[in-house]
Amino acid sequence: MTSQPTLTKAGDGPEGSEGPPQGSGLQAGLKNRHLSMIAIGGVIGAGLFVGSSTGIATAGPGILLSYALVGTLVVLVMRMLGEMSAANPTSGSFSAHADRALGPWAGFTIGWLYWFFWVVVLAVEATAGAAILEGWIPAVPQWGWALIVMVVLTATNLASVGSYGEFEFWFAGIKVVAIAAFIVVGGLAVFGVLPGVDSDQAGLSNLTGHGGFLPNGAGAILTGILLVVFSFMGSEIATLAAGESEDPQRAVTKATNSIIWRIGVFYLGSILVVVCLLPWDSEAIAEDGSYVAALDSLGIAHAGQIMNFIVLTSVLSCLNSGLYTASRMAFSLGERGDAPKAFARTTHRGVPRAAILVSVVFGFVAVFFNYKFPDSVFLFLVNSSGAVALFVWLVICFSQLRMRKIIQAEAPEKLVVRMWLYPYLTWLSIAFIVFVLIYMLTDTEHDGRSTMLLTMLVAAVTLAISLVRHRLAGRRATAAAPERDEVGVG
């Protein structure tokens, strides 16, 4: 099994010191409440609030089926990842498992693709957050807000893993409370029992009225899948963060077992409320966004500003977790020799400083491209990382097929989380992911084809670098073997 990174508890070390010595590895600085909220909030991305209106306009109430299909896939993939991570918790998560199960080429390729995805996300989210903040305080330019946000969250991650956990606890907590309140208030309005609200548009009849449940045909469900699939990226963060908790196995098991209700409540529940509060073809959904339009329909004052605050919180949460996730993946790659060794060095607080700084530098560069070359360089970066989520899920599936046999042979007692109906549901998941990837190649209306082709290009280049790199390493090892033999004979 791939070895777990060295973990130490915060405060360990010689008496009078602030922590373990330089380079002692990651620290178990995340508390149970941190892990619980990271697991709950990690599945709620800003894409749910911002991008759902496009899906509703495309598929109508049938977008619920799109969310349900993708949500089911995520539940299955997380079950597979939970099985492997509970047996061997590591900050490399699926990349480390792929390294062991499929070979170094797989761990290298998917690890760097995942890192690339999150550093691009840093730029996207920093720009989105800066736009909201500039609207509130226009005296500071948008690029200035982007810089401030990035610097603050970089400092948070550099301080300690506990600082990241504490910030994420509150960011995720606000998201969870906000969306739970939305579901409760909206649900009461749908059934006509919310005091002080007179909404003639609300009701379950919106699910079948205005052209039916599938007003644009069954094919719109597939298009809806392409539009919503990427909003689920982030579910796997809990398995990376578990590597820095005091009881990684328990944390992974808990996060894996709770994924069903988290997706059911926060995604399906909230979207169901939206399409029941308003007709799917309401102009307000297209103009104001689905959640703002829903709040407006309830007569809630300042609905737009309330939603801006919630979206800003989601953006900051995504930025915080994105920087953490990218740095831990870089750390794991450094430990395995797939990245510079400096990435695997930690401070006395257990923070991989070099991995964090390199990740944020690339994030800053991407932000610069967003402002200077938004329709060329930055568009390429966004599209070329767009399908990484599907590639990650596919690698997890193939890794689990192999890792189950390895775990059963080496340490069957570690199979505390088991994939259901193995290997049939694993193969079914693989078939569904491949189908979505192929369908993306036919989608020209929503840039699915360009996203798929560019992501495949970046993946092919990364894979080629991996194969060349490992072949050269093999030749060096072969060339060094005779020299060692001669020294031994001498």
Side-chain angles (χ1 to χ4, degrees), residues 68-350:
L69 286 170
V70 179
T72 301
L73 173 64
V74 172
V75 167
L76 295 177
V77 171
M78 280 297 296
R79 188 75 184 181
M80 299 176 217
L81 181 57
E83 177 181 292
M84 296 184 288
S85 296
N88 182 38
T90 169
S91 287
S93 189
F94 53 84
S95 174
H97 304 322
D99 189 289
R100 170 66 168 150
L102 306 177
W105 64 270
F108 179 99
T109 304
I110 203 63
W112 276 113
L113 283 177
Y114 191 68
W115 178 86
F116 174 58
F117 170 85
W118 280 111
V119 295
V120 173
V121 166
L122 290 180
V124 174
E125 300 295 343
T127 303
I132 295 174
L133 289 167
E134 185 189 29
W136 291 343
I137 308 177
V140 180
Q142 193 176 95
W143 66 265
W145 279 120
L147 180 64
I148 291 170
V149 167
M150 292 277 278
V151 168
V152 169
L153 293 181
T154 300
T156 299
N157 276 265
L158 285 172
S160 68
V161 67
S163 298
Y164 155 73
E166 198 63 32
F167 267 71
E168 189 57 24
F169 175 82
W170 292 105
F171 286 152
I174 292 172
K175 287 192 295 184
V176 169
V177 170
I179 202 166
F182 173 80
I183 292 172
V184 172
V185 173
L188 292 175
V190 168
F191 291 102
V193 295
L194 184 64
V197 172
D198 181 19
S199 179
D200 296 332
Q201 300 181 94
L204 295 175
S205 60
N206 283 328
L207 292 175
T208 53
H210 304 272
F213 187 71
L214 294 171
N216 296 324
I221 297 173
L222 297 177
T223 306
I225 287 175
L226 301 186
L227 296 174
V228 307
V229 66
F230 306 112
S231 65
F232 284 85
M233 192 67 162
S235 305
E236 71 292 332
I237 292 177
T239 63
L240 281 87
E244 292 178 82
S245 67
E246 294 184 357
D247 190 352
Q249 189 179 81
R250 178 177 176 273
V252 169
T253 303
K254 188 175 180 181
T256 302
N257 291 336
S258 65
I259 187 70
I260 296 176
W261 72 260
R262 286 186 279 135
I263 288 177
V265 171
F266 297 122
Y267 277 85
L268 292 177
S270 65
I271 294 297
L272 176 61
V273 168
V274 169
V275 294
C276 285
L277 285 175
L278 288 169
W280 71 271
D281 54 356
S282 169
E283 292 183 2
I285 291 180
E287 294 174 0
D288 303 326
S290 52
Y291 287 83
V292 173
L295 290 175
D296 272 332
S297 74
L298 298 178
I300 296 177
H302 309 294
Q305 292 303 321
I306 292 173
M307 189 51 60
N308 273 339
F309 173 74
I310 296 172
V311 170
L312 178 62
T313 303
S314 297
V315 164
L316 295 176
S317 172
C318 191
L319 268 171
N320 196 37
S321 289
L323 183 52
Y324 170 84
T325 305
S327 65
R328 267 40 176 196
M329 185 58 72
F331 171 86
S332 177
L333 289 166
E335 274 208 324
R336 287 178 273 141
D338 288 336
K341 286 296 183 183
F343 286 10
R345 298 194 190 109
T346 59
T347 66
H348 67 279
R349 293 181 179 271

